Amino acid sequence: MSSILLRPRTAYAFTKTSRRLFSTKEYQHIIASRPVPSVALLTLNRPKALNALSTPLFRDLNAALLEADAEKEIGAIVITGSEKAFAAGADIKELKEKDFAGAYNGDLFAEWSVITKIRKPVIAAVSGYALGGGCELAMMCDMILASPTAVFGQPEINLGVSPGGGGTQRLTHIVGKYRAMELMLTGRNFSAKEAEQWGLVNRIVGEGEGQVVKEAVDLAQKIASKGQIAVQATKEMINAAGELPLTEGVRFERRLFFGLFSTNDKQEGMTAFTEKRKPNWTHS
């Protein structure tokens, strides 16, 4: 089913200036659009299943992410769902019949990690439920904006399993061991306000349908207005901070910083600053 035939989840995503993300791609489980030329908006679209993260959905999402990452005009990406659910979790119907051999030999959830390899910034715009795999998907993004209605959680313990898409690792890094223990061993959901207090989300946006998508697109557009090489290098440095000791991290940062001195954008940015004008980035 062509993505342009699917009903949009938010009014903002499909204004008169919106256009399809890629004319050659058709998606069954997501809607791909460009609300502004420099921003890709990917909307999860399994409304009857509350955007449960099935393998076909992730294949659509990964294909769109890779296309957006390769498109020179696009500088940032937004992922969202519906007002009711960003993504209510993994597709339990799909997982129910899996056994250890099937999960292990099939490398279950391997496709979920593609998003972590995207070089351009990815912003999650979360309304409603972001539970289990939905919470994990949001945490795989580089930034999270939440509506006041957003509800997060890793309730897999209630199904007799654990998180399997990175939840035990990413949530623990963000909220700390003891709070993570409580949340994941009890399966308790938590509010957008708690998520903001604990540092899981950048901020809670104002009330109103589509507001979180609007603000996420505005943020993405602001990022996309910068030089892409510097943006991607800075993202790489920040992600390294979570994996490298401080001394190694600073050394890594400095190498990339020195490398940026060989770009045309470095020369343009510093020249524009001294000439008191806006830079004209060429992303080269």
Side-chain angles (χ1 to χ4, degrees):
M1 185 183 298
S2 172
S3 64
I4 58 175
L5 300 179
L6 297 172
R7 185 187 179 103
R9 305 254 62 80
T10 65
Y12 182 83
F14 286 80
T15 62
K16 291 181 180 179
T17 58
S18 296
R19 51 195 172 113
R20 281 198 62 196
L21 180 53
F22 313 115
S23 60
T24 59
K25 290 288 184 180
E26 294 184 351
Y27 302 111
Q28 184 176 357
H29 301 293
I30 69 169
I31 299 172
S33 68
R34 282 167 77 166
V36 293
S38 62
V39 175
L41 175 62
L42 308 179
T43 305
L44 309 185
N45 191 46
R46 294 188 69 202
K48 292 182 180 180
L50 296 180
N51 293 329
L53 300 172
S54 63
T55 297
L57 183 149
F58 252 103
R59 286 174 180 163
D60 279 358
L61 180 61
N62 289 343
L65 283 166
L66 291 170
E67 290 276 354
D69 210 32
E71 173 59 52
K72 292 181 179 179
E73 193 178 23
I74 291 171
I77 303 164
V78 174
I79 298 177
T80 193
S82 67
E83 290 294 319
K84 189 174 183 179
F86 175 74
D91 191 328
I92 304 303
K93 292 181 180 179
E94 185 178 291
L95 299 181
K96 185 175 181 294
E97 305 305 320
K98 296 283 186 182
D99 59 12
F100 172 79
Y104 188 81
N105 289 334
D107 200 7
L108 184 66
F109 291 169
E111 293 176 318
W112 289 35
S113 64
V114 169
I115 188 173
T116 64
K117 298 177 175 63
I118 299 301
R119 301 185 69 190
K120 294 172 182 176
V122 181
I123 302 168
V126 178
S127 288
Y129 296 113
L131 305 178
C135 186
E136 290 169 322
L137 174 60
M139 289 190 292
M140 281 186 261
C141 296
D142 300 305
M143 287 161 274
I144 304 175
L145 299 189
S147 75
T149 66
V151 178
F152 299 88
Q154 298 288 164
E156 291 89 345
I157 200 78
N158 297 324
L159 301 176
V161 294
S162 68
T168 62
Q169 305 305 301
R170 292 189 176 91
L171 188 59
T172 301
H173 278 298
I174 295 167
V175 306
K177 171 185 172 181
Y178 303 108
R179 183 170 282 127
M181 282 283 189
E182 177 186 348
L183 292 171
M184 285 184 270
L185 295 184
T186 65
R188 179 174 81 82
N189 296 339
F190 52 96
S191 67
K193 184 176 180 180
E194 289 175 302
E196 184 181 41
Q197 291 172 343
W198 300 339
L200 180 65
V201 304
N202 292 62
R203 64 177 180 272
I204 300 173
V205 305
E207 296 182 359
E209 183 175 355
Q211 185 64 24
V212 70
V213 175
K214 180 183 184 303
E215 293 198 27
V217 170
D218 289 344
L219 175 59
Q221 187 176 17
K222 185 173 183 179
I223 293 169
S225 71
K226 314 299 182 183
Q228 287 186 19
I229 297 176
V231 166
Q232 292 174 33
T234 302
K235 171 179 170 174
E236 189 174 354
M237 295 174 201
I238 294 170
N239 284 335
E243 300 176 1
L244 297 175
L246 178 59
T247 301
E248 287 300 313
V250 172
R251 185 177 293 116
F252 177 73
E253 174 191 271
R254 198 151 298 160
R255 285 199 299 268
L256 286 184
F257 171 71
F258 291 157
L260 291 172
F261 276 61
S262 67
T263 66
N264 292 324
D265 280 350
K266 174 264 181 185
Q267 189 62 37
E268 169 62 14
M270 294 191 176
T271 300
F273 178 82
T274 58
E275 294 177 354
K276 295 181 173 56
R277 61 173 175 82
K278 290 184 178 180
N280 180 26
W281 307 120
T282 59
H283 312 305
S284 63

